[in-house]
Amino acid sequence: MSMTQDTQTRAHTPGPWTSSLDVYAREDGASQIKGGNYKICVLPLFTAEYQPTADANVRLMCAAPDLLAALEALVSVWEGPRDRAALAFADAVNGARAAIDKARGRK
């Protein structure tokens, strides 16, 4: 198996992913993203000028598992049987909206 194939089939750290957007949450001022007990990444402290963008990036990263699940649900409905597609599609769209809200910080 090539490295590309291996990384495409390997599962990501399960969600939900959480963050410490409060720069005082860590002694060094960094924000970290965790999936359960696993540290996904640590982001450095940014200046006040760049902090809003950094916070938006953190929210987007934390929403990644939800966004993937929502997209997979939409594709599954699209490729599935049509007899229940409308109800399943509505549920999938609701999941997509929730993931978008999480990424935008609107929970």
Side-chain angles (χ1 to χ4, degrees), residues 26-81:
R26 287 176 39 102
E27 190 174 303
D28 61 3
S31 179
Q32 62 179 315
I33 297 175
K34 295 178 78 177
N37 293 327
Y38 298 98
K39 188 185 311 177
I40 309 255
C41 68
V42 175
L43 298 147
L45 176 64
F46 290 92
T47 63
E49 178 184 1
Y50 295 107
Q51 195 61 44
T53 299
D55 291 350
N57 290 340
V58 167
R59 286 192 303 272
L60 182 58
M61 285 185 256
C62 286
D66 302 300
L67 292 165
L68 177 60
L71 289 171
E72 288 175 336
L74 286 170
V75 169
S76 175
V77 169
W78 183 257
E79 294 175 344

